[in-house]
Amino acid sequence: MKPVSELLRKRDAAAAGPSGALWHVRPDDTVFDALKLLAEYEVGALMVMDGARLLGVFSERDYTRKIALQGRNSRETRVAEIMSSEVHTVGPRTGTRACMALMSERRIRHLPVVDGDTVLGMISMRDIMDDIIADHEATIAQLESYIQS
């Protein structure tokens, strides 16, 4: 399997938005504003950053469990109050198989990719699954070509 830096590169190249953009919210943003960004970017999680520093991850799961089910107000609650602050990260050379194992073990769907103190982006379980499917399709095509020749 390939390193996650390759997944980030492929996704950025295919994205309609600015390449290399770090989709994030600030800890003092409201949960409602964060939800608007999730919808706009069509993603399930955003990194929570203070400048260049990664503080946590805000996800649809955080909203569901810590706002909706508890009857809290998303327009008044700040992201810092409900974000997941125990963040598991991977490096750019981490393989997709290792990422998938970490996600499964920790029951998470998103992993920020960091190189030292520099945040490079975030990969999702969807990114990994898309890569696995593409690899399988390429293998099938190669086998079919081999059989036909």
Side-chain angles (χ1 to χ4, degrees):
M1 296 238 149
K2 58 186 64 112
V4 293
S5 59
E6 191 174 322
L7 293 185
L8 288 175
R9 232 182 346 268
K10 276 185 183 179
R11 188 185 61 208
D12 284 350
S19 180
L22 295 177
W23 292 344
H24 69 280
V25 291
R26 294 182 314 268
D28 58 336
D29 288 341
T30 66
V31 170
F32 185 80
D33 289 335
L35 291 172
K36 289 194 297 190
L37 288 177
L38 289 177
E40 178 183 338
Y41 298 144
E42 296 181 349
V43 295
L46 296 167
M47 292 178 286
V48 181
M49 298 181 69
D50 182 14
R53 200 173 102 214
L54 177 65
L55 300 178
V57 172
F58 169 77
S59 70
E60 295 167 327
R61 189 181 282 183
D62 292 320
Y63 169 75
T64 302
R65 294 178 180 178
K66 299 171 187 172
I67 297 291
L69 289 176
Q70 293 182 15
R72 295 173 73 178
N73 186 328
S74 64
R75 292 180 189 268
E76 295 173 0
T77 306
R78 301 290 168 200
V79 169
E81 296 175 50
I82 69 160
M83 70 182 186
S84 297
S85 55
E86 183 183 331
V87 181
H88 300 281
T89 63
V90 294
R93 290 173 289 288
T94 305
T96 53
R97 189 173 308 247
C99 292
M100 192 167 40
L102 179 60
M103 289 173 158
S104 178
E105 176 187 322
R106 299 293 181 180
R107 297 183 179 269
I108 55 178
R109 298 180 197 146
H110 302 88
L111 282 172
V113 181
V114 298
D115 191 5
D117 291 334
T118 305
V119 179
L120 302 177
M122 185 160 58
I123 60 162
S124 69
M125 183 59 80
R126 180 185 342 157
D127 296 324
I128 292 174
M129 294 306 297
D130 288 348
D131 182 61
I132 290 169
I133 290 167
D135 278 353
H136 286 172
E137 288 174 348
T139 300
I140 290 167
Q142 288 173 349
L143 290 171
E144 286 174 343
S145 175
Y146 174 76
I147 291 169
Q148 291 173 357
S149 55

